[in-house]
Amino acid sequence: GQNIDQPTEMTATEGAIVQINCTYQTSGFNGLFWYQQHAGEAPTFLSYNVLDGLEEKGRFSSFLSRSKGYSYLLLKELQMKDSASYLCAVRDGLAGNNRKLIWGLGTSLAVNP
Amino acid sequence: KAGVTQTPRYLIKTRGQQVTLSCSPISGHRSVSWYQQTPGQGLQFLFEYFSETQRNKGNFPGRFSGRQFSNSRSEMNVSTLELGDSALYLCASSFQGFADTQYFGPGTRLTVL
């Protein structure tokens, strides 16, 4: 079947580093997205991985291991504004109309002072 | 470029009524997707429209329908509202399709009493 698992909640301290994990099971993996969603707001795109390895974007990095069905989002130098829900989404299927996005339930991150 | 816009932002309806939500995508985006988001179920894909045609559909009952106009603006209609339809309804646009990077609107918060 198709499934995405993320921790439901995490807490961290301002200035620290936090890693949010995402494991997935799909029949035809074709890319993984991370989105950030602040309470009451729309999700916004953070990163995209399709090949194994680490993609760095400022304070945020995303890692992918296709063989392990595993990704993580790494947030460095945490700020209070990073308190949000982080959604993992996996693109399943080859190009064309057979592709779909499977969404995780999200990880709610609380950054404390 | 202007972002995705959705109207109205908030709606309160009673059971049995119907509702129409509107979404204007980013200029140049031909794909518009609709999602329902609830705390327990996360983001659930409703359907995608591309160049005025419904191209993909999620597992929602026929009470949920949509359409897209020639200017790519889209509407979603829910008939015979039920209490369980209370949710945040998000519209997202994309250049290529619903399995690519999604740009979300602010959402419509629907409350069914």
Side-chain angles (χ1 to χ4, degrees):
Chain A
Q2 298 162 330
N3 192 43
I4 294 181
D5 285 316
Q6 303 179 238
T8 304
E9 295 179 337
M10 298 183 71
T11 58
T13 305
E14 194 175 15
I17 299 173
V18 71
Q19 177 175 311
I20 302 174
N21 296 327
C22 171
T23 59
Y24 62 87
Q25 293 174 316
T26 62
S27 53
F29 176 83
N30 195 12
L32 186 144
F33 298 84
W34 284 97
Y35 287 81
Q36 179 191 58
Q37 185 176 24
H38 285 101
E41 298 182 11
T44 55
F45 170 75
L46 284 178
S47 68
Y48 170 70
N49 295 69
V50 66
L51 299 176
D52 291 348
L54 189 69
E55 294 279 343
E56 297 188 73
K57 272 190 186 181
R59 295 188 300 114
F60 291 11
S61 303
S62 56
F63 171 83
L64 175 67
S65 169
R66 290 173 295 172
S67 62
K68 295 181 179 178
Y70 168 68
S71 172
Y72 67 72
L73 181 69
L74 192 71
L75 290 71
K76 303 175 188 175
E77 301 170 15
L78 279 172
Q79 302 176 8
M80 299 296 288
K81 68 178 182 179
D82 297 330
S83 294
S85 182
Y86 292 86
L87 305 171
C88 171
V90 173
R91 181 162 62 200
D92 182 65
L94 299 176
N97 289 344
N98 290 327
R99 295 197 303 181
K100 54 187 171 184
L101 268 182
I102 305 161
W103 292 84
L105 293 181
T107 299
S108 179
L109 173 66
V111 179
N112 299 317
Chain B
K1 275 186 180 178
V4 179
T5 59
Q6 290 186 247
T7 57
R9 294 294 311 278
Y10 301 92
L11 264 180
I12 299 176
K13 293 285 187 179
T14 56
R15 278 183 301 176
Q17 287 187 306
Q18 76 165 15
V19 66
T20 299
L21 313 181
S22 181
C23 170
S24 292
I26 290 171
S27 178
H29 286 187
R30 291 188 293 167
S31 169
V32 175
S33 298
W34 288 90
Y35 296 85
Q36 181 195 68
Q37 187 175 37
T38 57
Q41 298 292 320
L43 265 177
Q44 301 285 309
F45 173 72
L46 282 154
F47 31 66
E48 180 211 9
Y49 284 85
F50 188 93
S51 294
E52 302 181 65
T53 301
Q54 188 181 86
R55 192 162 70 168
N56 290 283
K57 190 175 187 304
N59 297 321
F60 277 79
R63 300 186 296 107
F64 293 82
S65 63
R67 59 177 175 169
Q68 187 180 33
F69 303 94
S70 58
N71 62 357
S72 293
R73 189 178 72 83
S74 177
E75 288 183 347
M76 189 190 89
N77 185 75
V78 188
S79 62
T80 321
L81 284 166
E82 300 176 0
L83 294 179
D85 297 333
S86 293
L88 179 66
Y89 289 89
L90 291 162
C91 160
S93 77
S94 157
F95 182 70
Q96 288 187 310
F98 83 117
D100 293 298
T101 303
Q102 300 290 289
Y103 296 89
F104 287 86
T108 295
R109 173 73 62 183
L110 172 65
T111 302
V112 182
L113 303 176

